[in-house]
Amino acid sequence: MLNAAKDLLSPSRRSDVPPFIVMDVMAAAAAREARGERVVHMEVGQPAAPAPLTARRAAAAALETGRIGYTESLGVPSLRARIARHYRDAYGLDLDPARVAVTTGSSGAFILSFLSLFEPGDRVALANPGYPPYRHILTALGCEPVLIETSASTRWVLSPDALIAAHRKQKLKGVIVASPANPTGTMMSAAALAELIAVAEDAGIRVISDEIYHGLDYAFAAETAAKLSPRALVINSFSKYFCMTGWRIGWMVLPEPLVRTVDRLHGNLAISVPTLAQIAAEAAFDGRDEMEAVKHGCEENRRILTEGLPRAGLDQFLPVDGAFYLYANIAKFSNDSLDFAKRLLNEAGVAATPGIDFDPVDGRHFLRFCYAGSTAEMREAVERIGNWLGRG
Ligand SMILES: Cc1ncc(COP(=O)(O)O)c(C=O)c1O
């Protein structure tokens, strides 16, 4: 009887996904702060700045009017039109607003895109290292993530050759690309992205492009996959460039035949995205000056770290083209990035994320630093790390 009762409560096998380790680092950092100790936060990938004032004002005004109801499943038409206009302004692409779907962050878009493109058992390629929820969500939906190792010779991004080699071994149904990428911050040139998409589509592999860090590109301008192929499914978000992580709002640019599919799925799964967030997001496009100032702050932080960390002892990191991450090799100090991150927090007061979150194997040799905080914090981090490693 006891066992039968226990069975009633056992979770499904597919729900057995690993945790996002950065959350554990956050909790340890918060505990340290609660004890009154100083922490420089470089663990979580979110801007320190709030949403632009235009967004906050629009949300406040909407609250005053009282009723916040459901919206169309694919999003408020004026927001979809504003997002489409963004593609003309930022990339010179004329985009039909009918192809835009508003989602609960890019996280919500992953679920919708994987459900609309893949069957259980389908194999989907990802660059390793990469953003952990890609593989965890795919696994929970019964798909098989296929990690493809990247190397310095391809700027740590997926190469067409590596993709096709994996496809020849066992058929792939899809591939997820991200430029700028998390945790590496590396980017693909427009030509490299175009070649990867062409090769993938030629082989019958569906392309999903996670463009959440667009706008935060320092080395060169990021290209959207929407401009390169009408078949690519593009995912983006208001979380990073627009500084709206907690508002939980993002979007997809869908290949035209998938619009009704996503409409039906989203209507059933969530009805619609929170209305207040949609109102704020539309107004966020008018807060460009504030967002550009945040971007310039990140660019300055990037300079402080790329110049300061080598002096502090961390002199091996991947190209820092975009986003707000620096992925540093710590192999000369440790083979255990989880332990190294714990000691860095406890002994130096700097919170960073162990690489094993992003790469189950080689990640033990890496730490990810998020540089979306203030420039003063970045200088302090460099000094603390240098003192801790005996280079101060
Ligand atoms: C590469 C990448 N994609 C997607 C997300 C999810 O962001 P959100 O759901 O807030 O849009 C993140 C968050 O850090 C990320 O780094």
Side-chain angles (χ1 to χ4, degrees):
M1 181 61 196
L2 210 58
N3 268 349
K6 233 189 197 163
D7 274 355
L8 289 174
L9 292 175
S10 59
S12 66
R13 259 178 291 130
R14 67 172 166 176
S15 67
D16 186 20
V17 294
F20 201 179
I21 295 171
V22 66
M23 297 304 182
D24 298 343
V25 181
M26 264 171 82
R32 192 180 147 90
E33 278 176 325
R35 293 194 301 271
E37 293 169 66
R38 170 85 179 125
V39 176
V40 182
H41 288 279
M42 301 180 79
E43 76 280 35
V44 192
Q46 65 178 341
L53 196 57
T54 49
R56 286 177 280 143
R57 284 208 173 124
L63 268 182
E64 283 301 312
T65 67
R67 185 165 182 273
I68 301 289
Y70 293 133
T71 74
E72 294 83 342
S73 299
L74 291 174
V76 174
S78 57
L79 172 59
R80 295 170 72 200
R82 186 63 190 84
I83 291 170
R85 204 176 105 202
H86 169 68
Y87 279 81
R88 182 153 31 82
D89 299 344
Y91 309 101
L93 173 69
D94 268 328
L95 180 68
D96 181 354
R99 288 180 56 200
V100 176
V102 180
T103 59
T104 44
S106 49
S107 303
F110 294 143
I111 299 169
L112 290 167
S113 61
F114 299 165
L115 280 174
S116 55
L117 290 179
F118 307 129
E119 304 293 347
D122 280 352
R123 290 161 42 84
V124 181
L126 315 162
N128 192 45
Y131 180 60
Y134 297 148
R135 49 190 153 89
H136 301 165
I137 298 172
L138 282 167
T139 307
L141 294 178
C143 301
E144 187 187 336
V146 178
L147 301 188
I148 300 186
E149 293 305 321
T150 57
S151 70
S153 66
T154 58
R155 293 184 68 73
W156 306 95
V157 293
L158 256 180
S159 71
D161 287 352
L163 182 73
I164 293 305
H167 185 56
R168 283 209 186 103
K169 264 195 208 150
Q170 209 179 332
K171 203 166 171 278
L172 294 167
K173 188 66 177 287
V175 60
I176 303 174
V177 294
S179 167
N182 178 8
T184 56
T186 53
M187 287 175 63
M188 300 175 87
S189 67
L193 183 62
E195 193 193 347
L196 185 73
I197 293 175
V199 166
E201 291 190 345
D202 210 39
I205 302 169
R206 296 165 171 202
V207 178
I208 296 176
S209 178
D210 180 358
E211 303 185 351
I212 185 170
Y213 292 104
H214 277 213
L216 296 167
D217 39 8
Y218 320 111
F220 48 88
E223 184 58 285
T224 176
K227 201 167 165 187
L228 303 173
S229 166
R231 289 165 297 276
L233 192 157
V234 170
I235 292 176
N236 208 322
S237 175
F238 287 90
S239 287
K240 310 294 173 163
Y241 176 71
F242 295 88
C243 302
M244 293 179 71
T245 47
W247 295 79
R248 309 307 305 126
I249 182 157
W251 75 86
M252 294 195 276
V253 177
L254 296 164
E256 201 275 326
L258 287 183
V259 171
R260 182 65 185 139
T261 309
V262 168
D263 191 13
R264 282 187 281 112
L265 277 170
H266 200 220
N268 280 281
L269 288 173
I271 300 188
S272 58
V273 169
T275 308
L276 209 52
Q278 296 192 58
I279 292 166
E282 189 175 336
F285 283 106
D286 298 326
R288 196 157 282 278
D289 289 351
E290 262 181 81
M291 288 161 335
E292 283 297 299
V294 173
K295 175 182 179 168
H296 291 135
C298 288
E299 222 168 340
E300 176 61 4
N301 291 348
R302 168 183 181 250
R303 188 190 63 75
I304 292 168
L305 292 189
T306 51
E307 287 175 16
L309 283 181
R311 284 199 302 273
L314 294 178
D315 54 3
Q316 285 184 44
F317 38 81
L318 306 184
V320 191
D321 299 330
F324 33 53
Y325 303 116
L326 183 148
Y327 200 53
N329 190 316
I330 52 151
K332 66 180 175 186
F333 300 106
S334 173
N335 277 327
D336 180 350
S337 57
L338 187 58
D339 170 69
F340 192 82
K342 272 188 195 151
R343 288 193 289 119
L344 182 65
L345 175 62
N346 291 331
E347 296 165 22
V350 176
T353 306
I356 47 163
D357 225 1
F358 311 99
D359 175 349
V361 183
D362 280 346
R364 67 185 198 279
H365 290 139
F366 288 88
L367 273 196
R368 186 196 75 174
F369 293 94
C370 170
Y371 57 85
S374 70
T375 51
E377 283 170 324
M378 297 306 115
R379 290 205 180 90
E380 184 182 348
V382 168
E383 196 183 317
R384 282 171 175 266
I385 293 167
N387 288 337
W388 186 59
L389 293 175
R391 309 286 176 95

